[in-house]
Amino acid sequence: MPTYDYYCPSNSKTIEVLHSMSRTVETWGELCELADQPTGKTPSDAPVEKLVTAGVMLSGGSCKPGCC
């Protein structure tokens, strides 16, 4: 399963979670449930934004000593 980073503008926190590609996370409450974290003082219905991150793919033999 892929990992995704979400940012909450209401509290300026970013959380990384694992979920299927078909899942949509829209609120702080959903995100905290996935991350097994308390919502704290942030309202559960506060919107979150999925951040665009670049994954790294390595194929056998392409890495040279010292590059990773």
Side-chain angles (χ1 to χ4, degrees), residues 8-12 26-32 38-48:
C8 180
S10 295
N11 61 22
S12 300
E26 297 179 353
T27 66
W28 179 247
E30 291 176 87
L31 182 59
C32 287
T39 57
K41 295 181 180 181
T42 305
S44 293
D45 62 349
V48 294

Side-chain angles (χ1 to χ4, degrees), residues 4-8 13-17 28 31-32 35 37:
Y4 298 94
D5 291 332
Y6 288 88
Y7 173 73
C8 180
K13 292 184 181 179
T14 300
I15 296 179
E16 179 182 63
V17 292
W28 179 247
L31 182 59
C32 287
Q37 290 192 83

Side-chain angles (χ1 to χ4, degrees):
M1 240 187 276
T3 61
Y4 298 94
D5 291 332
Y6 288 88
Y7 173 73
C8 180
S10 295
N11 61 22
S12 300
K13 292 184 181 179
T14 300
I15 296 179
E16 179 182 63
V17 292
L18 281 157
H19 66 72
S20 65
M21 291 174 63
S22 61
R23 175 124 191 209
T24 302
V25 178
E26 297 179 353
T27 66
W28 179 247
E30 291 176 87
L31 182 59
C32 287
E33 185 177 322
L34 275 174
D36 197 26
Q37 290 192 83
T39 57
K41 295 181 180 181
T42 305
S44 293
D45 62 349
V48 294
E49 304 166 0
K50 187 191 297 187
L51 300 177
V52 177
T53 57
V56 176
M57 294 184 69
L58 298 176
S59 59
S62 65
C63 195
K64 296 178 182 169
C67 77
C68 300

